[in-house]
Amino acid sequence: MPLILQPEPNASVLRHRDMILHDLTQLAEPGTVQSQIEARRAFETDALTAYRCMPFAVLLPRTTEEVSRLLAYCNVNEVKVIPRGAGTSLSGGALPTEDAVVLCLSRMSRVLDIDFDNRFARVEAGVTNQSISEVVGPDYFYAPDPSSQLACSIGGNIAMNSGGAHCLRYGVTTQNLLGVKLVLINGDVVEIGGSHLDSPGYDLLGLIVGSEGQLGVVTEATVRILRKAEGARPLLMGFNSSEAAGACVSSIIASGVMPVAIEFMDRPAIKVCEDFAHAGYPLDVEALLIIEVEGSEKEIENQINLIVGLSLQHEPTVTRISKSEAESAAIWKGRKSAFGAVGRISDYVCMDGTIPLSTLSETLTVIARICSEAGFQVANIFHAGDGNLHPLILYNANTPGELERVEHCGAEILKHCVAVGGCLTGEHGVGIEKRDLMPLQFTSIDLQQQMQLKTVFDPHWLLNPSKVFPLDGRKAA
Ligand SMILES: Cc1cc2nc3c(=O)[nH]c(=O)nc-3n(C[C@H](O)[C@H](O)[C@H](O)COP(=O)(O)OP(=O)(O)OC[C@H]3O[C@@H](n4cnc5c(N)ncnc54)[C@H](O)[C@@H]3O)c2cc1C
């Protein structure tokens, strides 16, 4: 996966950039345009830290009008723009190129309106995912809950169609978004959707969700807020094999019982998370499921009884139902800090593919084989209920050639996901990471059609242009 590295800029390129910086500074509010090396360095990478490249400027606007002025200038002067929220993308979605400016929405973090009667909140794009639930709490919440929710922005969530543990029941971003304010590359400000379900006309909102910063810059979002259930309770189930745990997940889903979350960890993941969070996970099992149900006390009891009954045919060696709020919080802390916990012990790449649930056990065996043949350890932590895998392949970033080998290994896993009827990406987006794997999933005609759509929104390909589509075959777009 070669990164597009630009040649060292010559004197005329540097002069041209100075002119752009001068013009942008005239158009922007004081402090918006940052070109000092210290400021730019903070934006040279995102959570795909193996790749880095400094942009030639960073723009930190405070209003939609400012975003509009800046984009209109960039369009006329053909300046590439990388929209950015909190920079937690695991697929390199917010990675700059050296000839681009980063447009970061982090200063636009106001909550604009909360309407409990109509169950929505309107926020600026830089608001963090978690803070939406905090401001509408304690009786309401915003459902999609990426593990990065403390930091990631709603704008980034929309661009990546982010999910999380509880999306099994509540859906991902696209099911919880009602409308956006979007600034197009020519500076036009458009409202798409609204504050209620199903706006008239084409479903352009569906187009914007998951568009990875390539069609426009989201400056405001209207999201659905939900009333919290009366109660919630996680239970832990440990198994002697990943296959048994996988088969148990399939049985639960096939039965029609719908827990709010079913999360999976294999033995290496359990150990790392337990060492970090002291969540009380059993250490003598090969695979662990965290299953959460919600409702009244009676509903919780009924669902747990059904799930425990269904699990018996898969012979869990441990079944433990949370007995207190503190225990439940510890169970979730362990799961939600999993990526950070693995990061304490090793460099890793986090793959993100989906598979049909019926192929879960087979896929886990294939992942283990691919990684062991390449000599890498793998820890599997994922949203099992909706077949969204996250194998974390451990490697040493300081050993020359390991990154390429580990990426090859990840690509083999994603090929398998596609081959069994799944998808290249579940919730982390394509970014730069999976750009060159897109032909595994799409024909060249499919890709041409998607690129034509981008061209409609962004005729000069200035918005996040190096992402999503393979570099080969772009000319015809
Ligand atoms: C520890 C960890 C755990 C994670 N867990 C999950 C998880 O459980 N589920 C999940 O889905 N993801 C997860 N992620 C991935 C990441 O947090 C999400 O992709 C998130 O939505 C990115 O938001 P951000 O604000 O950081 O966006 P950024 O990383 O800044 O940008 C991501 C993409 O969005 C675009 N973008 C950002 N803001 C805007 C905007 N306002 N308008 C238009 N485009 C924009 C960027 O151009 C880029 O393409 C995790 C990441 C980490 C590091």
Side-chain angles (χ1 to χ4, degrees), residues 47 83-90 93-94 105 125 146-148 152-153 155-157 159-160 162-164 212-213 216-218 339 383 427-428 464:
R84 179 175 174 120
T88 65
S89 169
L90 286 160
L105 281 289
S147 303
S148 53
C152 65
S153 71
N157 290 179
M160 292 313 209
S162 297
E212 303 203 17
V217 174
V218 175
F339 293 180
H383 312 307
E427 55 182 13
H428 295 171
N464 221 2

Side-chain angles (χ1 to χ4, degrees), residues 196-215:
H196 51 88
L197 272 181
D198 230 5
S199 300
Y202 287 128
D203 180 11
L204 291 179
L205 195 57
L207 200 60
I208 300 308
V209 179
S211 62
E212 303 203 17
Q214 293 206 310
L215 302 185

Side-chain angles (χ1 to χ4, degrees), residues 38-241:
E38 304 76 28
R40 290 185 291 131
R41 193 174 299 289
F43 294 85
E44 68 178 356
T45 189
D46 54 19
L48 185 70
T49 51
Y51 291 88
R52 52 193 65 221
C53 179
M54 253 198 274
F56 76 89
V58 176
L59 312 178
L60 294 158
R62 289 183 177 82
T63 62
T64 297
E65 294 67 35
E66 203 181 4
V67 173
S68 162
R69 289 200 299 275
L70 296 169
L71 285 186
Y73 175 89
C74 290
N75 190 38
V76 169
N77 294 280
E78 302 210 358
V79 179
K80 293 178 187 163
V81 179
I82 315 292
R84 179 175 174 120
T88 65
S89 169
L90 286 160
S91 61
L95 182 75
T97 48
E98 191 258 358
D99 57 352
V101 297
V102 164
L103 179 72
C104 180
L105 281 289
S106 59
R107 283 180 177 168
M108 293 183 62
S109 57
R110 285 178 307 155
V111 174
L112 302 169
D113 189 12
I114 299 175
D115 185 332
F116 289 111
D117 291 339
N118 292 300
R119 306 272 168 95
F120 71 79
R122 197 160 58 83
V123 299
E124 289 185 326
V127 157
T128 64
N129 172 295
Q130 182 161 304
S131 62
I132 302 179
S133 288
E134 283 167 2
V135 294
V136 301
D139 296 331
Y140 290 82
F141 72 114
Y142 172 64
D145 60 339
S147 303
S148 53
Q149 65 190 143
L150 188 64
C152 65
S153 71
I154 190 70
N157 290 179
I158 293 167
M160 292 313 209
N161 193 16
S162 297
H166 292 79
C167 293
L168 177 61
R169 164 72 71 83
Y170 295 112
V172 294
T173 304
T174 195
Q175 279 89 30
N176 290 277
L177 183 72
L178 297 167
V180 292
K181 186 174 273 186
L182 186 78
V183 187
L184 304 176
I185 187 68
N186 66 2
D188 284 354
V189 179
V190 292
E191 302 267 358
I192 298 177
S195 52
H196 51 88
L197 272 181
D198 230 5
S199 300
Y202 287 128
D203 180 11
L204 291 179
L205 195 57
L207 200 60
I208 300 308
V209 179
S211 62
E212 303 203 17
Q214 293 206 310
L215 302 185
V217 174
V218 175
T219 55
E220 286 178 24
T222 304
V223 297
R224 205 202 292 222
I225 53 173
L226 303 177
R227 206 170 174 103
K228 275 196 187 152
E230 223 174 285
R233 192 158 312 142
L235 65 146
L236 298 177
M237 274 187 186
F239 297 84
N240 274 334
S241 71

Side-chain angles (χ1 to χ4, degrees), residues 259-277:
V260 279
I262 308 183
E263 297 290 297
F264 175 107
M265 292 186 198
D266 65 6
R267 185 188 268 272
I270 300 165
K271 163 121 184 52
V272 174
C273 293
E274 180 58 23
D275 285 351
F276 178 75

